[in-house]
Amino acid sequence: MKVVELRRYPVKSMLGEVVPAADVGARGIAGDRLWAVRDPDGKFGSGKNTRRFRRMPGLFRLRAYAADPAPVVELPDGRRFAATDPDGHRAVSELLGRPVTLAPEASVPHHDEGPVSVITTASLRRLGELVGGERIDALRFRANVLLDVPGNGFVEDTWPGRRLKIGGQVVLRVVRPLTRCVMIDMAQDRVGDRNDLLKTLAEHHELTFGVHATVEQPGRIAIDDPCSWA
């Protein structure tokens, strides 16, 4: 196994960025989902409605880039602004058709289930077979780490409880499968709308795809890092 793609999403539920390397700490990939769009009643923008999150169509039209001290958000017309800029908040509000601001994480993480999300090429191939032999783009699953794994199947099913070493430093503890929502069928970046992926996972894989993990040993990971069981 080896790392073939690393992604982070500086603002939750916006488009993110592919990075060649990343620092990993107890919270996960540095800068990942550290900010979110917030509406006046305190709920955060997402692709689904929950106690903490509110579905906000249009977020996939925005892209966020990590920066210090706050992410930079890019609008569809190419304008960019810092996540702390009130003019940017107004521009995002106009795009979404609702009043919002951008807010950093407080005491409760913005992650849906865990600090680091992992998917594999083997599972992508299996899901592609189930929907008629198509190639499924990894970006639909918004995972932090894509691992190249030989074969074809939902190999992560046997991973919960195991310790995954990535490169020479980082050790992850795999916790459980990731439950998926309608976001995997939504158009984003280079992929269009579809209506069959979530249904297929419901029928064949209990609505799960990939796993999330906690960080037992921090460090830095990079593309082409080898992976092994610790």
Side-chain angles (χ1 to χ4, degrees), residues 77-97:
D77 62 10
R79 286 180 293 161
R80 293 187 177 194
F81 60 88
T84 52
D85 185 343
D87 289 337
H89 295 183
R90 286 188 284 273
V92 172
S93 296
E94 291 176 6
L95 181 75
L96 298 180

Side-chain angles (χ1 to χ4, degrees), residues 99-202:
V100 296
T101 57
L102 274 76
E105 183 176 278
S107 58
V108 180
H110 288 324
H111 299 110
D112 285 341
E113 296 193 52
V116 180
S117 52
V118 182
I119 63 174
T120 70
T121 56
S123 286
L124 288 170
R125 285 189 287 269
R126 177 57 181 150
L127 181 57
E129 280 190 348
L130 291 172
V131 295
E134 296 181 47
R135 178 187 176 276
I136 306 299
D137 199 312
L139 73 82
R140 288 191 176 275
F141 298 93
R142 301 174 62 81
N144 297 125
V145 183
L146 172 62
L147 299 182
D148 185 29
V149 176
N152 181 324
F154 295 116
V155 296
E156 301 97 319
D157 288 353
T158 63
W159 290 8
R162 302 180 72 181
R163 299 167 73 244
L164 178 66
K165 184 174 184 180
I166 303 179
Q169 299 176 317
V170 173
V171 177
L172 305 179
R173 170 75 67 174
V174 179
V175 178
R176 63 174 178 267
L178 277 163
T179 301
R180 295 299 175 171
C181 69
V182 68
M183 289 181 76
I184 66 173
D185 279 321
M186 294 169 61
Q188 56 175 303
D189 208 354
R190 61 179 178 261
V191 299
D193 280 314
R194 55 190 303 158
N195 60 8
D196 57 342
L197 295 181
L198 191 64
K199 178 181 178 181
T200 299
L201 290 177

Side-chain angles (χ1 to χ4, degrees), residues 8 16 36 46-47 52-53 60 62 86-87 97 104 125 153 157-158 162 176 180 205 224:
R8 67 181 168 202
S46 178
R52 294 186 62 235
F53 301 122
F60 278 174
L62 300 161
D87 289 337
R125 285 189 287 269
D157 288 353
T158 63
R162 302 180 72 181
R176 63 174 178 267
R180 295 299 175 171
H205 207 238
D224 291 330

